[in-house]
Amino acid sequence: MISKIKEFFRVLIQKIKSRFSKAGNNVLHPISPGDLRKALREGIVSFAFKKLDGTLRTARGTTKLEVIPNESHPSGTGKKTTKKVSYWDLDKEGWRSVSSTQEMFI
């Protein structure tokens, strides 16, 4: 059982390193929700965050409308909040969000 857990984390860490090394970044650095929102507005961002269950989730996202398919542009009827960071997930091809209280890394 312990060896399976070790293998799981080894593969997870390898995937995270691979994802970020492709972006030219080998080290994760903490980022504030405000700074992440700003980076997402400027273009495509590779980032990570701790999910509520404590696992690390990597994502490639943006809020730059030129990158988001027209049919998925926000309607403008939503309520703005600082409680979460919303982004278009390029890999999942849909809108996602992360709580502003979660740790975020870039």
Side-chain angles (χ1 to χ4, degrees):
M1 179 70 168
I2 298 289
S3 63
K4 286 184 179 182
I5 293 171
K6 284 182 179 180
E7 178 63 14
F8 169 80
F9 281 107
R10 187 190 67 73
V11 170
L12 178 64
I13 290 168
Q14 186 178 18
K15 285 181 181 180
I16 292 169
K17 285 181 179 179
S18 172
R19 163 85 49 93
F20 283 92
S21 67
K22 288 177 187 172
N25 187 355
N26 292 321
V27 179
L28 297 177
H29 301 282
I31 186 168
S32 71
D35 288 344
L36 179 57
R37 281 188 198 93
K38 181 180 177 187
L40 290 165
R41 281 192 301 269
E42 293 172 357
I44 297 171
V45 181
S46 291
F47 63 101
F49 58 90
K50 274 193 182 177
K51 294 175 27 177
L52 294 174
D53 66 5
T55 59
L56 196 63
R57 156 99 154 80
T58 60
R60 274 184 337 118
T62 189
T63 56
K64 191 170 185 170
L65 293 178
E66 292 85 1
V67 180
I68 301 167
N70 287 336
E71 61 275 5
S72 296
H73 282 190
S75 63
T77 59
K79 188 176 180 182
K80 287 194 175 189
T81 179
T82 58
K83 293 183 179 182
K84 64 182 181 176
V85 176
S86 297
Y87 63 95
W88 175 260
D89 190 307
L90 289 137
D91 298 322
K92 300 208 182 262
E93 297 181 345
W95 287 97
R96 300 288 185 266
S97 65
V98 57
S99 171
S100 293
T101 61
Q102 298 306 111
E103 293 179 80
M104 298 174 208
F105 307 93
I106 194 163

